[in-house]
Amino acid sequence: VACILALSLAWQPAPPGNALGTRRMTWEANESVVSVDACSGDATNHSRRTAMKTLFGTAAACFLPYYSPVMAEDDSPYQYQTRDRNKNKEALIREDYWYYSGKRPPRRLNIDDFPANDPTWNAWGECTKSESTGNSCVYVSLRQRVPAYGKYAFSIQLGADEYAKLGKILRSSSPNWNEAAALVDAGGVDQRMPAPAVDAELKMALFATQMLTSPNFSGVARELLVSRYYVNEYAFSLKEMAKAIDERDAATALGLWEFGKDSWNSYISIINRAISPKVGDKFDAIV
């Protein structure tokens, strides 16, 4: 009810003295404000395009299901998911599920209880459904998914393989710290390329956008926002793990690795639903 009220009040009359009688859209969440003039296109803090994306994101987040049925038990002593996110300012992708809704998905996603987008109407009319393509309003064609898989899947899988290798090192009684440091190297110094596990971060985000964004739907897909959230969690784990490895803190490094593993597995559980046999092989979970 609160979300419906917020959206209904999203368009406010302009203050007196505005000769054009323009209406201004204001959305406030996570202690940030976006304001844009609907007629002139003048924007405060964000561009007009960003403001419209924010409105769509607000609508998508408002109608997302409550997450309690999807929650998985988390008995880890390292509760990194409860950290202060500082408005996602340091996140790889700021506009994720948490940023729009203020709600935090579970550390480990139970994909069997996670509902796919299934709208009844979109901007062009009523959605149709079939066994082969599913809901027409959110269908992503093979012509879009196949090239995306060919472009990103190899790099993402390589990153996962290297991440699994890192876990074996950290679980050993005497970790090889130099080898571990190389596997989380962010690159950039002396024009070094980042390690495959780090290089996969942005590719995971780009891949999700291609695989989960339908040209038939004007909103932001729930799956896309949640997948971005888990990409951000995975990126956070690698960044903090590099610090722990540098300090030779085995317990913290392993705790962060487990957190990143849960984030990766949650991400691929969403992505795998969009990978049919005609697209390619599904990703395996990291164990």
Side-chain angles (χ1 to χ4, degrees):
V1 174
C3 285
I4 293 174
L5 179 61
L7 289 171
S8 67
L9 296 176
W11 293 93
Q12 301 285 351
N18 188 328
L20 294 176
T22 58
R23 292 149 71 86
R24 300 186 66 84
M25 177 185 69
T26 302
W27 177 71
E28 182 171 355
N30 300 316
E31 303 177 9
S32 64
V33 177
V34 177
S35 179
V36 60
D37 190 305
C39 293
S40 69
D42 294 336
T44 304
N45 297 337
H46 293 277
S47 65
R48 178 177 179 178
R49 179 180 179 185
T50 302
M52 295 306 295
K53 287 171 65 179
T54 300
L55 178 60
F56 287 135
T58 305
C62 281
F63 294 103
L64 296 184
Y66 184 62
Y67 258 107
S68 57
V70 192
M71 300 269 295
E73 291 297 327
D74 180 20
D75 54 1
S76 170
Y78 298 96
Q79 300 292 312
Y80 296 110
Q81 68 274 19
T82 63
R83 69 188 183 277
D84 179 9
R85 297 172 187 273
N86 191 25
K87 304 178 186 178
N88 264 7
K89 289 181 178 179
E90 297 181 2
L92 183 69
I93 304 172
R94 192 175 190 182
E95 294 83 7
D96 65 2
Y97 181 84
W98 176 85
Y99 180 77
Y100 281 127
S101 71
K103 299 177 182 178
R104 190 178 66 246
R107 171 167 169 163
R108 292 187 288 268
L109 182 67
N110 183 355
I111 195 61
D112 293 333
D113 295 329
F114 182 64
N117 285 328
D118 192 27
T120 304
W121 299 85
N122 68 2
W124 295 276
E126 187 174 5
C127 305
T128 60
K129 300 178 183 179
S130 69
E131 294 183 2
S132 59
T133 62
N135 191 313
S136 64
C137 292
V138 294
Y139 175 69
V140 182
S141 69
L142 288 173
R143 187 174 297 179
Q144 179 173 319
R145 285 180 286 158
V146 171
Y149 186 91
K151 185 175 183 179
Y152 297 114
F154 177 81
S155 297
I156 294 173
Q157 186 59 59
L158 178 60
D161 294 341
E162 294 287 281
Y163 194 84
K165 180 180 177 182
L166 175 62
K168 294 180 180 179
I169 294 173
L170 296 176
R171 284 193 293 260
S172 67
S173 57
S174 55
N176 185 328
W177 293 112
N178 291 332
E179 187 175 1
L183 292 173
V184 295
D185 184 10
V189 180
D190 297 329
Q191 297 184 336
R192 285 200 319 272
M193 291 292 292
V198 179
D199 182 60
E201 295 171 0
L202 185 57
K203 291 180 171 64
M204 289 165 65
L206 295 171
F207 184 55
T209 300
Q210 289 294 308
M211 298 294 286
L212 304 175
T213 303
S214 172
N216 303 325
F217 188 58
S218 58
V220 180
R222 179 195 305 116
E223 288 93 336
L224 178 58
L225 291 176
V226 178
S227 69
R228 286 177 177 177
Y229 172 85
Y230 287 116
V231 171
N232 281 336
E233 300 296 87
Y234 172 76
F236 167 82
S237 72
L238 281 168
K239 182 179 179 181
E240 296 301 310
M241 205 187 317
K243 299 176 184 177
I245 290 173
D246 186 57
E247 296 170 358
R248 304 297 193 260
D249 186 343
T252 300
L254 184 57
L256 284 159
W257 183 89
E258 291 285 350
F259 180 67
K261 179 196 72 173
D262 290 341
S263 302
W264 160 267
N265 289 341
S266 298
Y267 165 83
I268 60 118
S269 68
I270 299 172
I271 291 295
N272 277 345
R273 294 206 298 197
I275 302 176
S276 64
K278 291 184 178 180
V279 174
D281 295 328
K282 295 181 184 293
F283 295 100
D284 294 326
I286 297 175
V287 295

